Amino acid sequence: MAGLHIRLPGMLSPPVPPGAPADHAEFRRVAGRPGAELYRARLVQHAFEPHAHQAYGLGVIEAGVERFRYRGTDHLAAPQSIVAMHPDVLHTGRAETAGGWRYRMLYLDPALIDALTGEAHWWFGEVVEARHPALARHLVSLHRQMWHSDDSLQVDGLLLDFLAGLRPLARTGPGGPRDGAAARLGPVIDCMRALLHERLALADLAAVAELSPFHFQRKFKAQYHVTPHQMLMALRLARAKELLAQGVRAAEVAVATGLTDQAHLTRAFAIRYGVSPGRYQRQVR
């Protein structure tokens, strides 16, 4: 399968060594487990625009160093670092080293973690954990075995082992990260989700929060570390990813998510998820 090679205007990346491999990313569904998705990538030039997953993002950096922005702070993830991202939190990603970085992720719906573990509301105090290289190598091995197995019984065991490995790093129940403005701005996010296919004006979103446009934008950026437009695009593309996984045609997905056309969907999807919509759909189906 050919790799995806993307250069984004205006994004600064380290110099690429001569003969470096092209960017390459793949998704795969976990056998027999809706709500679980595997991802592996080797990226040199690609830089991810702010995006989110409606799932926990749990994985390991295998080689190189990634720089990403998460909850308004830049993080560096070195080899053998474990990365644990919460659902619906926007983040970026780009290479910090000239040779890029290679990593594996497992995306799990919150409801699936709750069902498998019997524990509600996992949360992680650190998005990057670099103190457990042996665990990181173990998680990579489990991920690799899940990737190559179509036996749902075997995969279930591997998936539970993966979660068991991460359990000491997780906390459960209430007490996770809380934001003071969430109660006021949460309805705005709900409004965006409900109206992805429509043109939304800043004044309309501000009215939902009962704020002036000026104060609304300031509070929104302070809360989510992105503009309302960046958030709307992230929500549109997260929904597009969900529809593509269900087998909906790309042209219909573009209309349903408020994007201009299929070409717009292709560009916007690729710079957020590392693969084109068509390739993603083939990989997970």
Side-chain angles (χ1 to χ4, degrees):
M1 184 182 296
L4 177 71
H5 193 82
I6 299 176
R7 181 185 293 274
L8 299 180
M11 299 300 293
L12 299 178
S13 298
V16 180
D23 293 348
H24 183 81
E26 294 177 87
F27 285 89
R28 180 180 172 87
R29 280 189 167 174
V30 175
R33 273 296 173 190
E37 192 173 73
L38 298 164
Y39 178 76
R40 64 183 184 185
R42 164 76 161 84
L43 302 173
V44 180
Q45 297 189 72
H46 187 70
F48 291 98
E49 294 235 340
H51 66 285
H53 303 269
Q54 295 174 329
Y56 288 89
L58 309 170
V60 176
I61 307 298
E62 293 188 89
V65 180
E66 178 192 13
R67 177 182 289 273
F68 64 95
R69 193 160 185 82
Y70 180 89
R71 294 193 186 277
T73 301
D74 275 5
H75 299 269
L76 292 177
Q80 309 307 314
S81 292
I82 297 169
V83 177
M85 295 183 174
H86 292 98
D88 298 321
V89 178
L90 270 67
H91 54 279
T92 62
R94 66 175 177 84
E96 181 68 10
T97 47
W101 84 103
R102 188 175 78 248
Y103 68 117
R104 292 173 179 265
M105 298 295 291
L106 171 62
Y107 296 106
L108 293 176
D109 287 352
L112 180 56
I113 290 185
D114 294 353
L116 290 175
T117 65
E119 300 174 333
H121 310 302
W122 274 33
W123 59 278
F124 296 87
E126 300 292 337
V127 64
V128 178
E129 177 56 74
R131 296 173 297 176
H132 304 284
L135 174 58
R137 291 190 293 271
H138 178 57
L139 295 177
V140 167
S141 175
L142 294 171
H143 188 287
R144 186 178 292 115
Q145 292 176 72
M146 280 189 280
W147 188 280
H148 293 291
S149 178
D150 290 322
D151 184 324
S152 59
L153 180 59
Q154 180 189 29
V155 168
D156 269 357
L158 295 167
L159 182 56
L160 290 171
D161 285 346
F162 196 99
L163 290 173
L166 288 172
R167 181 62 185 86
L169 306 180
R171 304 177 192 180
T172 61
R178 295 186 180 184
D179 301 305
R184 190 161 204 171
L185 295 176
V188 176
I189 302 299
D190 294 340
C191 176
M192 288 181 173
R193 291 188 193 278
L195 301 175
L196 292 178
H197 58 290
E198 296 190 10
R199 290 180 178 271
L200 297 176
L202 187 66
D204 296 334
L205 296 175
V208 174
E210 299 181 343
L211 293 167
S212 70
F214 177 77
H215 286 97
F216 166 70
Q217 173 134 311
R218 284 182 59 189
K219 285 185 177 293
F220 194 96
K221 291 173 71 174
Q223 174 79 6
Y224 298 112
H225 313 291
V226 292
T227 66
H229 178 261
Q230 287 174 311
M231 175 63 79
L232 178 62
M233 287 300 295
L235 294 174
R236 282 173 167 167
L237 271 299
R239 177 58 177 160
K241 185 169 177 280
E242 183 179 14
L243 292 173
L244 289 165
Q246 294 172 8
V248 180
R249 294 174 56 250
E252 296 174 20
V253 171
V255 172
T257 54
L259 301 174
T260 307
D261 51 28
Q262 187 171 337
H264 187 194
L265 169 66
T266 297
R267 292 192 303 272
F269 194 93
I271 61 177
R272 287 168 177 83
Y273 295 112
V275 296
S276 68
R279 177 165 294 168
Y280 170 73
Q281 192 169 62
R282 291 192 295 273
Q283 288 172 352
V284 299
R285 294 186 65 83

